[in-house]
Every structure is written in C-alpha cells, then in structure tokens.
Amino acid sequence: MVIARGKLPRDGSDAVIEYKFGTSKKPRPSLNEDGSVDYHNLNIINHCKEGDLLAVLTPADMGDYGTSVYGNQVKPRSVKVKSLHFGQNVKLSEDKLTITAEKSGHVSLQDGKVVVSNVLNLKNVDVATGNIDYDGSVAVAGNIASGFSVKAGGNIEVKGTIEGAVLEAGADIILERGVNGAGGGLIKAGGNIVTKFIENAKVVAGGSVNAESILHSDVQAGTEVNVTGNKGFIVGGHVIAGERINVITIGGEMGTTTRIDVGVDPSLKVRIRDLMKEIGEENKNLQQIRPTIDGIVKKLQAGTVLAPDQAAYAKKLMAMKAQLESDINEKSENLMELQDTLSQTHNAYVTVNGICNAGTVITIGELSMTVDKAVKYSKFVEKEGDVRVAPLD
C-alpha cells in the first residue's frame, strides 16, 4: 500500500550564447617558419557583412517543480538566465534570440556587447590629418607621427611605424612594424594587441599581448603575454599578465632588472577598489534617506493623509531607495566574483623556453622570488606557498 508519493523536480539548464565570430582574449597569431608573426593571416580581427548572423541565444530551461511526500513543492536547481547585449550597427530579432549586422565592418565583443564598427582608412596620421577620434575602426596604411593620437571605438591597424604616439582602441590593435614609445605615448586596447616589437613604451591590453620582443617597457595584459619569434626576449621594464607569460629569454646577461608578474589581471584590483568605493557611497546615500522614509511610513500607518507634494516626494524617495538597493546588491555580487577571481592565482605561471637571467623578479599573485642565477628551459609556478622552478611540460 502506497501511503505517500513524491515527485522529483526536473532540473533545467543554463542559457547559452553562441557567438558566430572570434571572442577569445587569448588568440594565437599564425607564425611563419622563422617564428615571426604572419601579419597576413592573423585571424584576430573579425570582418562581417551586412545581414551576417552574429550571435544566437538559447534561453534558459527553468525546469519543473517536484512534490515532496508531504505535498510541498520542491524547487529545481537555479539556472543562469542570459540575454543578448549589443551596441552600434547591430539588430536584435523580434524574438530576442539572434542578432545580425546592420552594416559591413569589424565585429567585436566589447564589455559583453556585440558591436559592429565602420572602418576609416588613412594613409598616415600627422599634421595633415591631426589627431583621430573615430567611433568605428581605423586602418592606417602608413605611419603615425610622434605626438599624435588615434582613438577608435573598434580596432586599430597600423602598417607603418609608431613612435611616441597614443593609440586607444575599444577592441584590438595590430601593429605590423612595432612601437617605440620613445619614453612617452600609450598603446591601449580593450581586446588584444599584436605587434612586432615593443620598446620604451607603455602597453595595456584587456586581452592578450603578442610580440617578438619587449625592451624596457611597461606591459599589462588581462590574460596572457606571448613573446616568440627569432628574438623572443623581455629585457628590462615590467610585464604583467592575468594568467600566464610565455617567453624565450627574460633579462639580460648584465643583470638588467626585469619584473615579471602573473596571476592578477592588472585592471582587477582597480575595479575592486572602485566597486568598494561605489558601494560605500551608495550605502551612505541609503542611510541618509532611510530616516525620512521610516518617518513617512509611520505617518501612513497612523492613518495620516499626505499632501500631494508630500506624496510625490515620498514616491521619489521610495524609487531612489529601490534603485540604491538594487545597485548595491548587483555591485556586491560583482565584487564577490572579482574577489574570488583575485584569490585564484594558483594556476598562473611563467614559461621560459630559453633562459631566465639573474636579476629577474618573478611574482605570482602575492608571492615573489628574485632569480639569483640563470635558469634554462623552465616554468615558474606557485607551489606550497612559494614561487618554484619546475620543468617544462
């Protein structure tokens, strides 16, 4: 005899977004036989045509409730709900499940949004053009003169020389002849940076940095730094990567101090600091309006009828309170995720496919070591609370 019978809940599945173009923050450019980058086949910048399908959303399956033997509902596991986010020159379908390109150009993923950029083609950037500030992508067939700047919402491609200039792109930057900062200038990309060499320059990428050599420069990459090719060296300066650095030679034989950091996205600590400040300010604003709201609630509970202007003010305060609480909750969740990411440094490493010279400082997360004698064909990893030298895989 069956006294009671329950029913198991049916678990659903998370929403999935499939992008129809490359979104990697860790691309690996094609190499020629001599180890140099093949700039004709980079496969990093994504070209699209009007009407091209760019992304498809498979909605979350929420699952079905079950029933306990007592007749109570049993919830299925929680699932992640997603939606398609997009920017300029992109169209969302009526069912909100696909997005397509409204124009031909370069497609990229910027801050979680799919964006299609127009392309501005220039021969050179100099006194004839002045500084360039364009919301699409910029392609320069020649050189960028010292002291000039190019800012693009999409990609920047430069086939000529760059010295002491400022380049800022929302997506990727491709420099066929490299960059000499001459002690000034800035190369900054929201995505990846691919360049022949980096010398006396400051370079910042939200994704990866790929070069054949880095000399006396400040380089920061959100994911990884790959220094390959015939030279494949990092000498002097400070190179930081969120996940890993792959290089042939680090430091010089004369003991040039070279600092190498992995395990922390350079922008992560800044974002955490900013979020903590924003949450603190919003909590302060919330505390300031709370006594007034509590007073209004007590009046209403006592049967007091508010005047029209008082009612409007009360409504405004309640909306402000709801918005502040929503913002604080969202930012607190983001803060927790970022702090969790910050603590996960144990998988970061530095691969040396040649030699790491004495005088190099290797930092993984919060742990550091100074190389006191040359190390060949090795990997620097975090192990047992310290930075250790391990054999290559």
Side-chain angles (χ1 to χ4, degrees):
M1 180 172 62
V2 177
I3 298 175
R5 177 175 290 153
K7 179 183 177 183
L8 291 172
R10 182 185 67 82
D11 288 334
S13 56
D14 296 339
V16 176
I17 297 177
E18 179 188 2
Y19 296 103
K20 300 295 185 178
F21 57 94
T23 61
S24 175
K25 292 287 188 179
K26 303 181 273 191
R28 295 296 176 91
S30 301
L31 301 179
N32 295 313
E33 291 183 3
D34 63 359
S36 61
V37 173
D38 180 359
Y39 288 96
H40 297 287
N41 297 286
L42 285 172
N43 300 318
I44 291 178
I45 290 180
N46 304 288
H47 298 270
C48 69
K49 295 181 180 179
E50 182 180 347
D52 280 356
L53 179 64
L54 303 179
V56 177
L57 169 66
T58 301
D61 176 357
M62 306 307 292
D64 296 316
Y65 279 82
T67 308
S68 73
V69 293
Y70 298 105
N72 299 320
Q73 282 192 330
V74 180
K75 290 178 62 177
R77 74 169 182 85
S78 298
V79 297
K80 293 182 180 179
V81 178
K82 297 181 179 180
S83 58
L84 293 171
H85 300 281
F86 57 96
Q88 63 183 7
N89 301 325
V90 174
K91 181 180 180 181
L92 179 68
S93 62
E94 289 186 7
D95 59 11
K96 299 183 179 180
L97 297 180
T98 62
I99 50 179
T100 54
E102 287 190 317
K103 290 184 177 182
S104 297
H106 292 170
V107 58
S108 58
L109 190 64
Q110 300 180 30
D111 296 326
K113 294 182 180 180
V114 178
V115 176
V116 173
S117 304
N118 301 316
V119 182
L120 173 65
N121 293 290
L122 300 168
K123 288 185 177 180
N124 297 291
V125 175
D126 51 26
V127 291
T129 62
N131 295 325
I132 303 298
D133 192 343
Y134 187 62
D135 62 358
S137 294
V138 176
V140 182
N143 308 321
I144 299 180
S146 178
F148 286 86
S149 68
V150 176
K151 297 181 181 180
N155 306 302
I156 296 177
E157 294 180 86
V158 183
K159 295 186 178 297
T161 59
I162 302 167
E163 184 172 327
V166 173
L167 276 65
E168 296 185 44
D172 301 325
I173 294 179
I174 310 296
L175 310 176
E176 288 198 19
R177 292 195 185 180
V179 54
N180 186 332
L186 170 68
I187 309 297
K188 183 177 182 180
N192 309 299
I193 294 175
V194 179
T195 178
K196 190 171 183 64
F197 66 85
I198 301 170
E199 185 174 338
N200 294 307
K202 182 171 183 179
V203 174
V204 180
S208 68
V209 173
N210 294 269
E212 294 180 31
S213 64
I214 299 176
L215 180 63
H216 301 303
S217 295
D218 181 356
V219 177
Q220 301 177 14
T223 57
E224 63 184 32
V225 174
N226 296 296
V227 187
T228 57
N230 289 330
K231 297 177 180 178
F233 64 75
I234 300 174
V235 176
H238 192 185
V239 178
I240 307 173
E243 298 175 13
R244 56 182 170 264
I245 293 175
N246 180 38
V247 60
I248 296 175
T249 301
I250 303 179
E253 294 181 1
M254 302 302 292
T256 304
T257 300
T258 305
R259 296 164 61 200
I260 303 292
D261 291 16
V262 292
V264 178
D265 181 338
S267 64
L268 198 57
K269 289 184 177 180
V270 174
R271 183 59 183 145
I272 287 173
R273 185 179 67 242
D274 290 346
L275 274 175
M276 291 178 71
K277 182 179 178 181
E278 291 169 13
I279 291 170
E281 290 175 349
E282 289 178 344
N283 267 317
K284 183 179 178 181
N285 292 337
L286 189 59
Q287 295 305 318
Q288 287 176 342
I289 65 173
R290 212 162 235 157
T292 306
I293 292 174
D294 291 343
I296 292 172
V297 170
K298 286 180 180 179
K299 286 183 178 180
L300 293 173
Q301 290 174 340
T304 303
V305 178
L306 300 178
D309 59 333
Q310 291 177 320
Y313 182 59
K315 185 177 180 181
K316 181 180 178 181
L317 283 180
M318 293 300 289
M320 186 184 301
K321 175 177 177 288
Q323 185 62 53
L324 284 170
E325 289 176 339
S326 175
D327 288 347
I328 290 169
N329 288 336
E330 182 179 345
K331 289 176 181 178
S332 295
E333 288 180 9
N334 290 338
L335 180 61
M336 289 176 63
E337 290 177 1
L338 291 176
Q339 288 174 329
D340 183 57
T341 301
L342 185 63
S343 67
Q344 297 175 7
T345 62
H346 57 278
N347 290 325
Y349 59 86
V350 179
T351 299
V352 179
N353 297 293
I355 183 170
C356 178
N357 287 293
T360 299
V361 180
I362 304 287
T363 300
I364 301 179
E366 302 298 325
L367 305 172
S368 296
M369 74 170 290
T370 300
V371 178
D372 55 9
K373 62 179 180 179
V375 176
K376 293 184 178 180
Y377 308 107
S378 299
K379 188 175 181 180
F380 291 89
V381 299
E382 179 189 340
K383 186 177 181 181
E384 299 175 352
D386 205 352
V387 177
R388 302 288 181 87
V389 180
L392 291 176
D393 298 333

